[in-house]
Amino acid sequence: MEKIIEENKQGESLVLEHKTGNTKKLFIESYGCAMNFSDSEVVASILSENGFNTTQILEEADLVLVNTCSIRDKAEQTVRKRLEKYNAVKRSVNPKMKVGVLGCMAERLKSQFLEEEKIVDLVVGPDAYKDLPNLLQEVEAGNDAINVILSKDETYGDISPVRLHSNGVTAFVSITRGCDNMCTFCVVPFTRGRERSREPQSIMEEIADLSNRGFKEITLLGQNVDSYLWYGGGLKKDFVKATEFQKATAVDFAQLLEMVATGFPKMRIRFSTSNPQDMHESVLHVIAKYPNVCKHIHLPVQSGSDRILAAMNRLHTREEYIQLIDKINRIIPGCGITQDMISGFPTETEEDHQDTLSLMEHVKYGFGYMYAYSERPGTLAGRKMEDDVPEETKLRRLQEIVDLQRKHSAFRTQEFLGQTVEVLIEKTSKKSEEQFSGRNSQSITVVFPRENYKIGDFVNVKINSCTSGTLIGEAVGYSDMN
């Protein structure tokens, strides 16, 4: 659940520039978090080198891939429905079509998809995308193909991702894979493996390429970016076995963030997702020091109750989390802080729920991703804990969390009234062709009249009004970032 699920992006079919000479057609859809959408770009890049151009017409595809998520039951049900649709097209329209599942569901449901239900031709886990050309040869030969082996060192650092469906302004740059935090509700360590970090130079080269192509903002991406640690390769847990030289020359997240900030002073830098127990003060000082590092931290807490935090195996207490929040506010005044929250975790009482609400009152988050607990097979909670909070209680508590978050979001947007904020123009506003939309440093959406500006410009916008989620204003000139 350390993963941001953007509902408006779920199920996007992705498209990229066609490569001359490629004759096969790939249809690829993504579900889940930003990591999955980033991985789809890696997959498209690999397949582009192996004869595939993308299509958005399902019926004409030679290969259909769905990049999947196991974080919530809803995502799995949606993917199953899509697989039924693919197979209906395969039966009635395009019998030569091959269907494959990528990502987290692939690892967890491999035998079910291939052998029991026979709804896919190939299953590829998150660490095996480079094996896709070989697996496709197996499929062409009439065999089922599967590779869900989790790697100790694969980071795809040598693959330059194709930017699918990109606005040409913002891009994700993956810096870690896997996760070592065994939260009892989360399936990620079992589907994406143990944590390993990507070589800093390959990260800098990817960002340099993006900068040369006109991108203005990057998000450093990982299941847990704060525990980034490069010491020459290998799993983070094996750092204790590193040589003295490796330890002395290791690069942690604060150092990487500073390298990127100083190396690309005209690019905006964001990062996601943070884990409270791994966020060190050194990172906060880097954020405060460099104007191109956005003043926004997504800091999932999941619950405000110490008892529930312990049951979730969150390695922080309520008090430690509050101390971290207070430290952020002291070192980075005006920093935007956003949350993930789960209602109705096993054994949660009304008192535990009230602890969550009181924590929210203390922090007053700008935004949140809030869910009712959904038991995930394969997790410790799924194996060892009874899902004993009634569904109606979960949903009532969730609604109370959502209502309080809406109130706090409105409080946070109102703080900007009368201020002038820097905005990177990302797109035309959904509601009006006459307005542009972008985000301020705190990741709040800002809309304003287009005038003579263009997408990709950094502009200063004076805020005149707001809703609970959007700032509304007028541009008063270019910012120093241009």
Side-chain angles (χ1 to χ4, degrees), residues 229-244 246-251:
L229 184 65
W230 171 261
Y231 61 98
L235 298 178
K236 186 187 176 188
K237 73 180 182 67
D238 293 334
F239 181 62
V240 291
K241 304 173 191 170
T243 65
E244 290 307 311
Q246 285 176 314
K247 288 178 180 176
T249 57
V251 177

Coordinates of all heavy atoms in Angstrom, one line a residue, residues 229-244 246-251:
L229 N 20.3 3.0 -1.6 CA 21.6 2.8 -1.2 C 22.4 2.0 -2.2 O 22.2 0.9 -2.4 CB 21.7 2.0 0.2 CG 23.1 1.9 0.8 CD1 23.7 3.2 1.2 CD2 23.1 1.0 2.0
W230 N 23.3 2.8 -2.9 CA 24.2 2.1 -3.9 C 25.6 1.9 -3.4 O 26.2 2.9 -2.9 CB 24.2 3.0 -5.2 CG 25.2 2.5 -6.2 CD1 26.5 2.9 -6.4 CD2 25.1 1.4 -7.1 NE1 27.2 2.2 -7.3 CE2 26.3 1.2 -7.8 CE3 24.0 0.5 -7.4 CZ2 26.5 0.3 -8.7 CZ3 24.2 -0.5 -8.3 CH2 25.5 -0.6 -9.0
Y231 N 26.0 0.7 -3.4 CA 27.4 0.4 -2.9 C 28.1 -0.5 -3.9 O 29.1 -1.1 -3.5 CB 27.4 -0.2 -1.5 CG 26.6 -1.5 -1.4 CD1 27.4 -2.7 -1.4 CD2 25.3 -1.6 -1.3 CE1 26.7 -3.9 -1.3 CE2 24.6 -2.8 -1.1 CZ 25.3 -3.9 -1.1 OH 24.7 -5.2 -1.0
G232 N 27.7 -0.5 -5.1 CA 28.4 -1.3 -6.1 C 27.5 -2.4 -6.7 O 27.9 -3.2 -7.5
G233 N 26.2 -2.5 -6.2 CA 25.3 -3.5 -6.7 C 24.9 -4.5 -5.6 O 25.6 -4.6 -4.6
G234 N 23.8 -5.2 -5.8 CA 23.4 -6.2 -4.9 C 22.3 -5.7 -4.0 O 21.9 -4.5 -4.1
L235 N 21.8 -6.6 -3.1 CA 20.6 -6.3 -2.3 C 21.1 -5.3 -1.2 O 22.2 -5.4 -0.6 CB 20.1 -7.6 -1.7 CG 19.5 -8.6 -2.7 CD1 19.1 -9.8 -1.9 CD2 18.4 -8.0 -3.5
K236 N 20.1 -4.5 -0.8 CA 20.4 -3.6 0.3 C 20.7 -4.3 1.6 O 21.6 -3.9 2.4 CB 19.2 -2.6 0.5 CG 19.6 -1.6 1.6 CD 18.5 -0.7 2.0 CE 19.0 0.3 3.1 NZ 17.9 1.0 3.7
K237 N 20.0 -5.4 1.9 CA 20.2 -6.2 3.1 C 21.6 -6.7 3.2 O 22.1 -7.0 4.3 CB 19.2 -7.3 3.2 CG 19.4 -8.5 2.3 CD 18.3 -9.5 2.5 CE 18.6 -10.8 1.6 NZ 19.7 -11.5 2.0
D238 N 22.3 -6.8 2.1 CA 23.7 -7.4 2.1 C 24.8 -6.3 2.3 O 26.0 -6.6 2.2 CB 24.0 -8.2 0.8 CG 23.1 -9.4 0.7 OD1 22.8 -9.9 1.7 OD2 22.9 -9.8 -0.5
F239 N 24.3 -5.0 2.5 CA 25.3 -3.9 2.7 C 26.2 -4.2 3.9 O 27.4 -3.8 3.9 CB 24.5 -2.6 2.9 CG 25.4 -1.4 3.1 CD1 26.3 -1.0 2.1 CD2 25.4 -0.7 4.3 CE1 27.1 0.1 2.2 CE2 26.2 0.4 4.4 CZ 27.0 0.8 3.4
V240 N 25.7 -5.0 4.9 CA 26.5 -5.3 6.0 C 27.8 -6.1 5.7 O 28.8 -6.1 6.4 CB 25.7 -6.0 7.1 CG1 24.7 -5.2 7.7 CG2 25.1 -7.3 6.5
K241 N 27.7 -6.8 4.5 CA 28.9 -7.6 4.1 C 29.8 -6.8 3.1 O 30.8 -7.4 2.6 CB 28.4 -8.8 3.3 CG 27.4 -9.7 4.1 CD 26.9 -10.8 3.2 CE 25.7 -11.5 3.9 NZ 25.0 -12.4 3.0
A242 N 29.4 -5.5 2.8 CA 30.2 -4.7 1.9 C 31.6 -4.5 2.4 O 31.9 -4.5 3.7 CB 29.5 -3.4 1.6
T243 N 32.6 -4.2 1.5 CA 34.0 -3.9 1.9 C 34.0 -2.5 2.5 O 33.1 -1.7 2.3 CB 34.9 -4.0 0.7 OG1 34.5 -2.9 -0.2 CG2 34.8 -5.3 0.0
E244 N 35.1 -2.2 3.2 CA 35.2 -0.9 3.8 C 35.2 0.2 2.7 O 34.7 1.3 2.8 CB 36.5 -0.8 4.6 CG 36.5 -1.6 5.9 CD 35.3 -1.2 6.8 OE1 35.0 -0.1 7.0 OE2 34.6 -2.2 7.2
Q246 N 33.6 -0.1 -0.3 CA 32.3 0.1 -0.7 C 31.4 0.9 0.3 O 30.6 1.8 -0.2 CB 31.6 -1.3 -0.9 CG 32.1 -2.1 -2.1 CD 31.5 -3.5 -2.1 OE1 31.5 -4.2 -1.1 NE2 31.0 -3.9 -3.3
K247 N 31.6 0.7 1.5 CA 30.9 1.5 2.5 C 31.3 3.0 2.5 O 30.4 3.8 2.6 CB 31.1 0.9 3.9 CG 30.4 -0.4 4.2 CD 30.7 -1.0 5.5 CE 30.0 -2.3 5.7 NZ 30.3 -3.0 7.0
A248 N 32.6 3.2 2.3 CA 33.0 4.6 2.3 C 32.6 5.4 1.0 O 32.4 6.6 1.1 CB 34.6 4.6 2.3
T249 N 32.3 4.6 -0.1 CA 31.9 5.3 -1.3 C 30.5 5.1 -1.6 O 30.0 5.5 -2.7 CB 32.8 4.8 -2.5 OG1 32.6 3.3 -2.6 CG2 34.3 5.1 -2.3
A250 N 29.7 4.5 -0.7 CA 28.3 4.3 -0.9 C 27.5 5.6 -1.1 O 27.9 6.7 -0.6 CB 27.7 3.5 0.2
V251 N 26.4 5.6 -1.9 CA 25.6 6.8 -2.1 C 24.2 6.5 -1.5 O 23.5 5.5 -1.9 CB 25.4 7.1 -3.6 CG1 24.5 8.2 -3.9 CG2 26.8 7.3 -4.2

